[in-house]
Amino acid sequence: MSYVVIGNSVASVGAIEAIRKVDKKTPIVVISDEPYSVYSRPLISEYLSGKVGEEMMNYRDSDFYERNRVTTKFNVKAVSINSRTKRVRLKNEEEIEYKKLLIATGGIPFVPPIEGRDKDGVFTFTKLDDAKRLKARVESFNHLVVIGAGLIGLKVTESLRQRGVPVTVVELSNRVMSTVLDEEAGRIIRSAIEREGVEVITGLTVEEITGKEKVTGVKLTNGNRIKCDAVVIAIGVIPNTSLAKDAGIRVNRGIITDSTMKTNIPHVYAAGDVTEGPDYLSKGNRVFPIWPNAYIQGKIAGYNMAGVKREFTGGIAMNSIELFGVPVLTAGLSNVEDENLEVLKKSEESTYKKNGYT
Amino acid sequence: MMKRVYAKEEVCIGCRLCEVYCAVEHSLSRDIIRAYKYEQPKPEPRVTVEEKEHISFALQCRHCDEPLCVEACITGAMMKDESGRVIHREEKCIGCWTCVLVCPYGAPRRDLSRGKVVKCDLCQSTGREIPACVEMCPNRALVFEER
Ligand SMILES: Cc1cc2nc3c(=O)[nH]c(=O)nc-3n(C[C@H](O)[C@H](O)[C@H](O)COP(=O)(O)OP(=O)(O)OC[C@H]3O[C@@H](n4cnc5c(N)ncnc54)[C@H](O)[C@@H]3O)c2cc1C
């Protein structure tokens, strides 16, 4: 019997590398509905802009699966988990029995029920294939609207801008990156974006995507209309929990795990963006949809699956990213107003630093 | 077990020659005058002398057993090799500075002229047995040993 991993991204790699530190023998099977060897998801924007080529997208060397004796099942979806018979069923009817199972199915883009969201020219942006689809048509866009000014929305905006596409970003909250940046930091990033000729509209969202089959424009919540031939919906990513839910695994927003990354079902673990794991700063559980967290959770799951007890000490939100030439580093609760916090701030010409202490 | 560089702060005088020799060692010409006066981009040291009042010591990558930089690196540029060294493959680095954010020692440095991170490789890339900072320290304030 094998260790079976559903999903082939960073959480999966964290698990494989941990398992192979302590168990060199037991077979590992990785299932992915994408056709690729593990790639760096955050780099899909650099791929779209042309800064990196497809060969640079590889997150691990080409001998990764062979060296770790991993059997890969790519381009096929896992459709159900039977926790009684300990089997995973694939779309092609194949069934794989597991000794321990890891669900690392990541996140899926959240697409709200906006009218017209099925039209030709509406994109989401979380997979290499999404970037390929956009790249194939990028020359033909006269104007593009990005819905959402979070990390993914701004990264795709930057790449499209670098390819010469005129872009308008529409964000419902009153500033960009509102989940991690305060108002002052939001202003700095916004002006960096606007300096590149991108229009940023805050406090509004898209109510309707117009056009017959193809996108011809959007209508905003204040009634204004913007002409465009493509829309990227980048409002957020939500845990991809359907497989787990159907198998009776306990799910809140994400799959709930204990500190060993185990779910409520024996022999079944979860890690990465699909998971609502322990939070370092509060007593509860939280989804941390970031790369380092997915690796570390995967690693902890891997050790425990292989019988070595390790505990996840809890996730912390953190991110480092360069947006329109401005490096932005955030960690912890970077955007809370709490009078019990002692806050030190320093603004100079081109830098803004803020630290909060309890 | 692997050898690492350890500082003896009681004999470090903060002269920063380790930084100079590290930068030269990792420069194109490996010549102190050429490296410092003519090379573009200017070579960056991978070691930093931390200094406050009369205390100083040189700090470089600790080559951790479970390196956070490797776990956090979004491109796979950071890796731990068979010998235990933490190696940074510059050709895979896009300068996102995630390793700078997560390293508890502040070891990865930003090379702004190239938009990439640089960090200590224990002089593996230059073929030295004993790292340049250790060998060139005039006070023997750095040692290379297993602990
Ligand atoms: C554009 C973009 C930029 C980002 N930038 C950053 C950044 O700078 N820093 C950062 O920390 N994070 C960033 N992130 C977030 C980061 O990519 C995620 O946190 C990380 O990829 C989560 O990894 P994961 O292993 O949990 O799952 P994912 O990477 O989401 O992978 C899950 C995989 O499982 C597959 N799968 C799902 N269901 C099934 C099924 N039923 N059968 C088979 N396969 C299935 C999916 O197709 C996918 O390949 C970015 C994300 C995006 C989209």
Side-chain angles (χ1 to χ4, degrees):
Chain A
M1 264 195 295
S2 316
Y3 300 108
V4 175
V5 182
I6 308 175
N8 177 40
S9 185
V10 56
S12 164
V13 170
I16 293 166
E17 291 181 343
I19 290 171
R20 283 295 176 243
K21 283 224 170 88
V22 293
D23 178 350
K24 310 257 186 249
K25 279 220 266 328
T26 312
I28 302 177
V29 181
V30 172
I31 304 156
S32 172
D33 58 6
E34 291 191 87
Y36 309 107
S37 294
V38 60
Y39 64 87
S40 169
R41 195 166 306 286
L43 280 192
I44 62 172
S45 57
E46 319 289 343
Y47 172 81
L48 175 61
S49 72
K51 185 172 166 187
V52 311
E54 193 162 348
E55 69 298 339
M56 272 270 291
M57 298 293 292
N58 290 328
Y59 174 57
R60 286 292 182 258
D61 291 343
S62 54
D63 64 350
F64 174 76
Y65 300 100
E66 199 191 317
R67 200 162 29 83
N68 287 296
R69 283 171 307 283
V70 175
T71 306
T72 57
K73 310 263 178 197
F74 289 168
N75 216 359
V76 59
K77 200 179 171 103
V79 290
S80 64
I81 299 164
N82 186 330
S83 58
R84 207 172 32 78
T85 59
K86 293 171 71 182
R87 280 164 188 272
V88 177
R89 194 180 171 82
L90 310 188
K91 182 81 182 285
N92 61 8
E93 317 262 292
E94 192 182 341
E95 289 201 0
I96 305 169
E97 194 175 354
Y98 60 82
K99 177 179 176 216
K100 302 281 170 186
L101 175 68
L102 177 65
I103 304 177
T105 49
I108 42 171
F110 173 59
V111 178
I114 304 173
E115 222 184 297
R117 65 182 167 157
D118 298 326
K119 290 191 202 312
D120 179 27
V122 179
F123 299 85
T124 53
F125 194 67
T126 59
K127 297 196 163 193
L128 182 52
D129 282 343
D130 297 332
K132 286 186 174 176
R133 272 193 286 274
L134 268 170
K135 199 171 186 172
R137 287 172 62 174
V138 76
E139 313 279 319
S140 74
F141 299 146
N142 295 312
H143 195 107
L144 188 146
V145 170
V146 173
I147 310 178
L151 175 124
I152 296 175
L154 295 185
K155 278 312 265 184
V156 73
T157 299
E158 182 180 36
S159 300
L160 289 162
R161 198 61 211 118
Q162 284 164 357
R163 310 241 19 172
V165 180
V167 182
T168 300
V169 183
V170 185
E171 165 61 48
L172 183 59
S173 87
N174 68 352
R175 62 183 185 279
V176 302
M177 302 264 286
S178 60
T179 52
V180 292
L181 298 187
D182 67 6
E183 299 215 355
E184 181 159 359
R187 260 196 305 277
I188 296 172
I189 299 302
R190 181 177 183 145
S191 57
I193 302 168
E194 288 173 339
R195 244 194 329 270
E196 296 296 318
V198 172
E199 183 186 22
V200 181
I201 299 174
T202 48
L204 292 173
T205 191
V206 169
E207 189 176 84
E208 187 189 341
I209 299 168
T210 55
K212 278 213 175 92
E213 271 127 53
K214 284 193 169 184
V215 175
T216 56
V218 297
K219 186 174 155 210
L220 303 183
T221 33
N222 66 352
N224 283 3
R225 288 172 185 273
I226 304 170
K227 265 198 189 165
C228 63
D229 34 29
V231 174
V232 178
I233 302 179
I235 292 176
V237 171
I238 49 174
N240 183 8
T241 54
S242 54
L243 200 58
K245 262 190 205 147
D246 294 346
I249 293 167
R250 213 165 69 161
V251 173
N252 183 31
R253 277 197 60 219
I255 299 175
I256 298 180
T257 69
D258 63 14
S259 60
T260 67
M261 305 317 298
K262 200 153 75 62
T263 69
N264 62 315
I265 303 258
H267 314 293
V268 182
Y269 294 74
D273 281 14
V274 72
T275 309
E276 195 171 307
D279 179 0
Y280 181 77
L281 292 171
S282 79
K283 287 276 168 284
N285 279 34
R286 227 187 109 181
V287 179
F288 291 99
I290 50 170
W291 190 266
N293 183 70
Y295 185 94
I296 295 168
Q297 287 188 345
K299 173 185 80 175
I300 298 295
Y303 276 120
N304 286 295
M305 288 161 75
V308 175
K309 185 152 190 227
R310 291 277 307 261
E311 279 187 271
F312 181 60
T313 47
I316 297 183
M318 58 167 109
N319 211 344
S320 174
I321 187 176
E322 194 158 315
L323 285 167
F324 295 84
V326 185
V328 187
L329 276 73
T330 54
L333 304 171
S334 53
N335 182 28
V336 285
E337 299 299 327
D338 181 344
E339 56 223 43
N340 298 319
L341 278 184
E342 186 189 354
V343 175
L344 300 179
K345 283 197 217 182
K346 193 169 162 192
S347 279
E348 280 161 303
E349 232 175 289
S350 59
T351 59
Y352 173 56
K353 291 183 190 170
K354 178 179 175 184
N355 287 313
Y357 305 90
T358 51
Chain B
M1 279 296 271
M2 67 174 289
K3 286 188 178 175
R4 291 183 168 91
V5 178
Y6 296 95
K8 293 162 123 177
E9 65 178 60
E10 63 283 9
V11 287
C12 172
I13 58 165
C15 70
R16 297 184 181 263
L17 277 176
C18 51
E19 293 182 6
V20 172
Y21 283 104
C22 177
V24 172
E25 183 71 14
H26 293 88
S27 69
L28 292 173
S29 62
R30 297 224 212 155
D31 176 285
I32 190 164
I33 305 280
R34 266 190 238 156
Y36 267 81
K37 290 186 96 75
Y38 306 111
E39 266 185 40
Q40 276 309 330
K42 218 179 145 191
E44 287 278 335
R46 282 119 167 100
V47 52
T48 312
V49 176
E50 299 277 357
E51 200 166 4
K52 185 146 198 199
E53 286 150 22
H54 61 282
I55 296 173
S56 65
F57 58 89
L59 180 74
Q60 65 296 88
C61 171
R62 306 319 300 147
H63 299 273
C64 302
D65 291 331
E66 275 200 334
L68 269 172
C69 60
V70 173
E71 299 182 346
C73 177
I74 62 167
T75 67
M78 285 285 183
M79 61 173 275
K80 197 158 174 73
D81 75 8
E82 316 266 88
S83 69
R85 292 183 178 98
V86 175
I87 298 300
H88 179 245
R89 296 183 289 182
E90 288 184 10
E91 68 283 3
K92 284 189 78 69
C93 178
I94 58 151
C96 72
W97 321 128
T98 303
C99 53
V100 175
L101 173 68
V102 300
C103 175
Y105 303 100
R109 296 172 54 128
R110 297 191 297 162
D111 180 345
L112 289 174
S113 59
R114 294 186 308 139
K116 287 179 189 289
V117 152
V118 290
K119 72 172 263 314
C120 164
D121 62 350
L122 296 173
C123 287
Q124 185 216 36
S125 64
T126 67
R128 257 177 188 275
E129 229 144 80
I130 298 170
C133 57
V134 175
E135 203 155 79
M136 303 310 244
C137 175
N139 277 9
R140 306 219 179 115
L142 290 170
V143 292
F144 187 49
E145 60 189 34
E146 278 180 17
R147 278 194 187 168

Coordinates of all heavy atoms in Angstrom, one line a residue, chain A residues 40 42-43 46 51-52 55-56 58-61 291-292 295-296 299 303 310 318-322 327 329-331, chain B residues 65-66 68 70-79 82 89 91-102 110:
Chain A
S40 N 6.1 26.5 -10.1 CA 5.9 27.6 -9.2 C 4.7 28.4 -9.6 O 4.7 29.2 -10.5 CB 7.2 28.4 -9.2 OG 6.9 29.6 -8.4
P42 N 3.2 30.9 -8.1 CA 3.4 32.4 -8.1 C 4.1 33.0 -9.3 O 3.9 34.1 -9.7 CB 4.3 32.7 -6.8 CG 4.0 31.5 -5.9 CD 3.8 30.4 -6.8
L43 N 4.8 32.1 -10.0 CA 5.5 32.6 -11.2 C 4.7 32.7 -12.5 O 5.1 33.1 -13.5 CB 6.7 31.7 -11.5 CG 8.0 31.9 -10.7 CD1 9.1 31.1 -11.3 CD2 8.3 33.4 -10.6
E46 N 4.9 36.0 -13.9 CA 6.2 36.3 -14.6 C 6.2 35.6 -16.0 O 6.9 36.0 -16.9 CB 7.4 35.9 -13.8 CG 7.3 36.1 -12.3 CD 7.4 37.6 -11.9 OE1 7.9 38.4 -12.8 OE2 7.0 38.0 -10.8
K51 N 8.9 37.5 -18.4 CA 10.1 37.5 -17.6 C 10.8 36.2 -17.4 O 12.0 36.0 -17.4 CB 9.8 38.2 -16.2 CG 11.1 38.4 -15.4 CD 10.7 39.2 -14.1 CE 11.9 39.2 -13.2 NZ 11.6 39.8 -11.9
V52 N 10.0 35.1 -17.3 CA 10.5 33.8 -17.2 C 9.9 32.9 -18.3 O 8.7 33.0 -18.6 CB 10.4 33.1 -15.8 CG1 10.8 34.0 -14.7 CG2 9.0 32.6 -15.6
E55 N 10.5 26.7 -19.0 CA 11.5 25.8 -18.3 C 11.9 26.4 -16.9 O 12.2 25.6 -16.0 CB 12.7 25.6 -19.2 CG 13.7 26.8 -19.5 CD 13.1 28.0 -20.2 OE1 12.0 27.9 -20.9 OE2 13.6 29.1 -20.0
M56 N 11.8 27.7 -16.7 CA 12.1 28.3 -15.4 C 11.0 28.1 -14.4 O 11.1 28.4 -13.2 CB 12.3 29.8 -15.6 CG 13.8 30.1 -15.9 SD 14.7 30.4 -14.5 CE 14.0 31.9 -13.9
N58 N 9.7 25.3 -13.4 CA 9.8 24.1 -12.6 C 10.3 24.4 -11.2 O 11.3 25.1 -11.0 CB 10.9 23.2 -13.3 CG 10.3 22.6 -14.5 OD1 9.1 22.4 -14.7 ND2 11.2 22.3 -15.5
Y59 N 9.6 23.9 -10.3 CA 9.9 24.2 -8.9 C 11.0 23.2 -8.4 O 11.7 23.5 -7.5 CB 8.6 24.0 -8.0 CG 8.7 24.1 -6.6 CD1 9.3 25.2 -6.0 CD2 8.2 23.1 -5.7 CE1 9.4 25.3 -4.6 CE2 8.3 23.2 -4.3 CZ 8.9 24.3 -3.8 OH 9.0 24.4 -2.4
R60 N 11.0 22.0 -9.0 CA 12.0 21.0 -8.6 C 12.7 20.5 -9.8 O 12.2 20.6 -10.9 CB 11.4 19.8 -7.8 CG 11.0 20.2 -6.4 CD 12.2 20.5 -5.5 NE 11.9 20.8 -4.1 CZ 11.9 22.0 -3.6 NH1 12.2 23.0 -4.3 NH2 11.7 22.1 -2.3
D61 N 13.9 19.9 -9.7 CA 14.7 19.4 -10.8 C 13.9 18.3 -11.5 O 13.0 17.7 -10.9 CB 16.0 18.9 -10.4 CG 16.9 20.0 -9.9 OD1 16.6 21.2 -10.2 OD2 17.9 19.7 -9.2
W291 N 2.4 30.3 0.0 CA 3.4 29.3 -0.4 C 4.1 28.7 0.8 O 4.1 27.4 0.9 CB 4.3 29.9 -1.4 CG 5.2 29.0 -2.1 CD1 6.5 28.6 -1.8 CD2 4.9 28.2 -3.3 NE1 7.0 27.7 -2.7 CE2 6.1 27.5 -3.6 CE3 3.8 28.1 -4.1 CZ2 6.1 26.6 -4.7 CZ3 3.8 27.3 -5.2 CH2 5.0 26.6 -5.5
P292 N 4.8 29.5 1.6 CA 5.6 28.9 2.7 C 4.8 28.0 3.6 O 5.2 26.9 4.1 CB 6.2 30.1 3.4 CG 6.1 31.2 2.5 CD 4.9 31.0 1.6
Y295 N 4.1 24.6 2.1 CA 5.3 23.7 2.2 C 5.4 23.1 3.6 O 5.5 21.9 3.8 CB 6.6 24.4 1.8 CG 7.7 23.4 1.8 CD1 8.1 22.8 0.6 CD2 8.4 23.0 3.0 CE1 9.1 21.8 0.6 CE2 9.3 22.0 3.0 CZ 9.7 21.4 1.8 OH 10.7 20.4 1.8
I296 N 5.3 24.0 4.6 CA 5.5 23.6 6.0 C 4.4 22.6 6.4 O 4.7 21.6 7.0 CB 5.7 24.8 6.9 CG1 7.0 25.5 6.5 CG2 5.7 24.3 8.4 CD1 7.1 26.9 7.2
K299 N 5.1 19.3 4.8 CA 6.2 18.6 5.5 C 5.7 18.0 6.8 O 6.0 16.8 7.1 CB 7.3 19.7 5.8 CG 8.4 19.1 6.7 CD 9.4 20.2 7.0 CE 8.9 21.0 8.2 NZ 9.9 22.0 8.7
Y303 N 5.7 13.9 7.6 CA 6.4 13.2 8.7 C 5.4 12.3 9.5 O 5.6 11.2 9.8 CB 7.0 14.2 9.7 CG 8.4 14.6 9.3 CD1 8.7 16.0 9.0 CD2 9.4 13.7 9.1 CE1 10.0 16.4 8.6 CE2 10.7 14.1 8.7 CZ 11.0 15.4 8.5 OH 12.2 15.8 8.1
R310 N 5.4 15.0 14.4 CA 5.8 16.4 14.4 C 4.6 17.2 14.5 O 3.5 16.9 13.9 CB 6.5 16.7 13.1 CG 7.9 16.0 12.9 CD 9.0 16.7 13.5 NE 9.1 18.1 13.1 CZ 10.0 18.6 12.2 NH1 10.8 17.8 11.6 NH2 10.0 19.9 12.0
M318 N 2.2 35.8 6.0 CA 3.4 36.6 5.6 C 3.6 36.6 4.1 O 3.2 35.6 3.5 CB 4.7 36.0 6.3 CG 4.9 34.6 6.0 SD 6.6 34.1 6.4 CE 6.2 33.1 7.8
N319 N 4.1 37.7 3.6 CA 4.3 37.7 2.2 C 5.4 38.7 1.8 O 5.5 39.7 2.5 CB 3.0 38.1 1.5 CG 2.8 37.5 0.1 OD1 3.8 37.0 -0.4 ND2 1.7 37.5 -0.4
S320 N 6.1 38.4 0.8 CA 7.1 39.3 0.2 C 6.9 39.3 -1.3 O 6.8 38.3 -1.9 CB 8.5 38.9 0.5 OG 9.4 39.7 -0.1
I321 N 6.7 40.5 -1.8 CA 6.3 40.5 -3.2 C 6.7 41.9 -3.8 O 6.7 42.9 -3.0 CB 4.8 40.3 -3.4 CG1 4.4 40.2 -4.8 CG2 4.0 41.4 -2.7 CD1 2.9 39.9 -5.0
E322 N 7.1 41.9 -5.0 CA 7.4 43.2 -5.6 C 6.3 43.6 -6.5 O 5.9 42.8 -7.4 CB 8.7 43.2 -6.4 CG 9.2 44.5 -6.7 CD 10.7 44.6 -6.9 OE1 11.5 44.0 -6.2 OE2 11.1 45.2 -7.9
P327 N 9.0 46.8 -3.5 CA 9.0 45.6 -2.6 C 8.1 45.8 -1.4 O 8.2 46.8 -0.8 CB 10.5 45.4 -2.2 CG 11.3 46.4 -2.9 CD 10.3 47.5 -3.4
L329 N 6.8 43.9 2.1 CA 7.0 42.7 3.0 C 6.0 42.9 4.1 O 6.0 44.0 4.8 CB 8.4 42.7 3.6 CG 9.5 42.0 2.7 CD1 9.8 42.8 1.5 CD2 10.7 41.6 3.5
T330 N 5.2 41.9 4.3 CA 4.2 41.9 5.5 C 4.3 40.6 6.2 O 4.6 39.6 5.7 CB 2.8 42.1 5.0 OG1 2.5 41.1 4.0 CG2 2.6 43.4 4.3
A331 N 4.1 40.7 7.5 CA 4.1 39.5 8.3 C 3.2 39.7 9.5 O 3.2 40.8 10.1 CB 5.5 39.1 8.8
Chain B
D65 N 19.5 23.0 9.6 CA 19.1 21.7 9.3 C 17.7 21.7 8.6 O 17.5 20.9 7.7 CB 19.0 20.9 10.6 CG 20.4 20.6 11.2 OD1 21.3 20.5 10.4 OD2 20.5 20.5 12.4
E66 N 16.8 22.5 9.0 CA 15.5 22.7 8.4 C 15.4 24.1 7.9 O 14.7 24.9 8.6 CB 14.4 22.3 9.3 CG 14.1 20.9 9.4 CD 12.7 20.5 9.9 OE1 12.1 21.3 10.7 OE2 12.2 19.5 9.5
L68 N 14.3 27.5 6.7 CA 13.1 28.2 6.4 C 13.1 28.8 5.0 O 12.1 28.9 4.3 CB 12.8 29.3 7.4 CG 11.9 29.0 8.6 CD1 11.9 30.1 9.6 CD2 10.5 28.7 8.1
V70 N 14.5 27.6 2.4 CA 14.3 26.6 1.4 C 12.8 26.3 1.3 O 12.2 26.1 0.3 CB 15.1 25.3 1.7 CG1 14.7 24.2 0.7 CG2 16.6 25.6 1.6
E71 N 12.2 26.2 2.5 CA 10.8 25.9 2.6 C 9.9 27.0 2.0 O 8.8 26.8 1.5 CB 10.4 25.6 4.0 CG 11.2 24.4 4.6 CD 10.8 24.1 6.0 OE1 10.1 24.9 6.7 OE2 11.2 23.0 6.5
A72 N 10.4 28.3 2.1 CA 9.6 29.4 1.7 C 9.8 29.8 0.3 O 9.0 30.5 -0.3 CB 9.8 30.6 2.7
C73 N 11.0 29.5 -0.3 CA 11.4 29.9 -1.6 C 10.3 29.6 -2.6 O 10.0 28.4 -2.8 CB 12.7 29.4 -2.0 SG 13.2 29.9 -3.7
I74 N 9.8 30.6 -3.3 CA 8.6 30.3 -4.2 C 9.1 29.7 -5.6 O 8.2 29.2 -6.3 CB 7.7 31.5 -4.4 CG1 8.5 32.7 -5.1 CG2 7.1 32.0 -3.1 CD1 7.6 33.8 -5.6
T75 N 10.4 29.8 -5.9 CA 10.8 29.3 -7.2 C 11.6 28.0 -7.2 O 11.8 27.4 -8.2 CB 11.7 30.3 -8.0 OG1 12.9 30.4 -7.3 CG2 11.0 31.7 -8.0
G76 N 12.0 27.6 -6.0 CA 12.9 26.5 -5.9 C 14.4 26.8 -6.1 O 15.2 26.0 -6.3
A77 N 14.7 28.1 -6.0 CA 16.1 28.6 -6.1 C 16.9 28.1 -4.9 O 18.1 27.8 -5.1 CB 16.1 30.1 -6.3
M78 N 16.3 28.1 -3.8 CA 17.0 27.7 -2.5 C 16.9 26.2 -2.4 O 15.8 25.7 -2.5 CB 16.4 28.4 -1.3 CG 16.7 29.8 -1.1 SD 18.4 30.0 -0.5 CE 18.3 31.8 -0.3
M79 N 18.0 25.6 -2.2 CA 17.9 24.1 -1.9 C 19.0 23.7 -0.9 O 20.0 24.3 -0.7 CB 18.0 23.3 -3.2 CG 19.4 23.6 -3.9 SD 19.6 22.5 -5.3 CE 20.2 21.0 -4.5
E82 N 23.1 17.6 -0.9 CA 23.4 16.3 -0.1 C 24.3 16.5 1.0 O 24.2 15.9 2.1 CB 24.1 15.3 -1.1 CG 23.4 15.2 -2.5 CD 22.3 14.2 -2.6 OE1 21.2 14.5 -2.2 OE2 22.7 13.1 -2.9
R89 N 20.5 28.9 -6.0 CA 20.8 28.9 -7.5 C 20.3 30.2 -8.1 O 19.1 30.4 -8.3 CB 20.1 27.7 -8.1 CG 20.7 26.4 -7.5 CD 20.1 25.2 -8.1 NE 18.7 25.0 -7.7 CZ 18.0 23.9 -8.0 NH1 18.5 23.0 -8.8 NH2 16.7 23.8 -7.6
E91 N 20.3 31.5 -10.9 CA 19.6 31.5 -12.2 C 18.1 31.3 -12.0 O 17.3 31.7 -12.8 CB 20.2 30.5 -13.2 CG 20.0 29.0 -12.9 CD 21.0 28.5 -11.8 OE1 21.7 29.3 -11.2 OE2 20.9 27.3 -11.5
K92 N 17.7 30.7 -10.8 CA 16.3 30.5 -10.6 C 15.7 31.6 -9.7 O 14.5 31.6 -9.4 CB 16.0 29.1 -9.9 CG 16.1 28.0 -10.9 CD 15.7 26.7 -10.2 CE 14.2 26.5 -10.1 NZ 13.5 26.3 -11.4
C93 N 16.5 32.6 -9.3 CA 16.0 33.6 -8.3 C 15.4 34.7 -9.1 O 15.9 35.2 -10.1 CB 17.2 34.1 -7.5 SG 16.7 35.4 -6.4
I94 N 14.2 35.1 -8.6 CA 13.5 36.3 -9.3 C 13.5 37.5 -8.4 O 12.9 38.5 -8.7 CB 12.1 36.0 -9.7 CG1 11.2 35.5 -8.5 CG2 12.0 34.9 -10.8 CD1 9.8 35.9 -8.6
G95 N 14.1 37.4 -7.3 CA 14.2 38.6 -6.4 C 12.9 39.0 -5.7 O 12.5 40.1 -5.7
C96 N 12.2 38.0 -5.2 CA 10.9 38.3 -4.5 C 11.2 38.6 -3.1 O 10.3 39.1 -2.4 CB 9.9 37.1 -4.7 SG 10.4 35.7 -3.7
W97 N 12.3 38.2 -2.6 CA 12.8 38.5 -1.2 C 12.0 37.8 -0.1 O 12.0 38.2 1.0 CB 12.8 40.0 -0.9 CG 13.2 40.9 -2.0 CD1 12.5 42.0 -2.5 CD2 14.4 40.9 -2.8 NE1 13.2 42.6 -3.5 CE2 14.4 42.0 -3.7 CE3 15.6 40.1 -2.8 CZ2 15.4 42.2 -4.6 CZ3 16.6 40.3 -3.7 CH2 16.5 41.4 -4.6
T98 N 11.4 36.7 -0.5 CA 10.7 35.9 0.5 C 11.7 35.3 1.5 O 11.4 35.3 2.7 CB 9.8 34.8 -0.1 OG1 8.9 35.4 -1.0 CG2 9.0 34.0 0.9
C99 N 12.8 34.9 1.0 CA 13.9 34.3 2.0 C 14.4 35.4 2.9 O 14.7 35.1 4.1 CB 15.0 33.7 1.2 SG 15.8 34.8 0.0
V100 N 14.4 36.6 2.4 CA 14.9 37.8 3.3 C 13.9 37.9 4.4 O 14.2 38.2 5.6 CB 15.0 39.1 2.4 CG1 15.3 40.2 3.3 CG2 16.0 38.9 1.3
L101 N 12.6 37.7 4.0 CA 11.5 37.9 5.0 C 11.6 36.8 6.1 O 11.4 37.1 7.3 CB 10.2 37.9 4.3 CG 8.9 37.8 5.2 CD1 8.7 39.1 5.9 CD2 7.7 37.6 4.3
V102 N 11.8 35.6 5.7 CA 11.7 34.5 6.6 C 12.9 34.1 7.4 O 12.9 33.5 8.5 CB 11.1 33.2 6.0 CG1 9.7 33.4 5.4 CG2 12.1 32.6 5.0
R110 N 20.1 41.3 -0.3 CA 19.6 41.7 -1.7 C 20.7 42.3 -2.5 O 21.4 43.2 -2.0 CB 18.5 42.7 -1.5 CG 17.3 42.2 -0.8 CD 16.1 43.2 -0.9 NE 16.4 44.5 -0.3 CZ 15.8 45.6 -0.5 NH1 14.8 45.6 -1.4 NH2 16.1 46.7 0.1

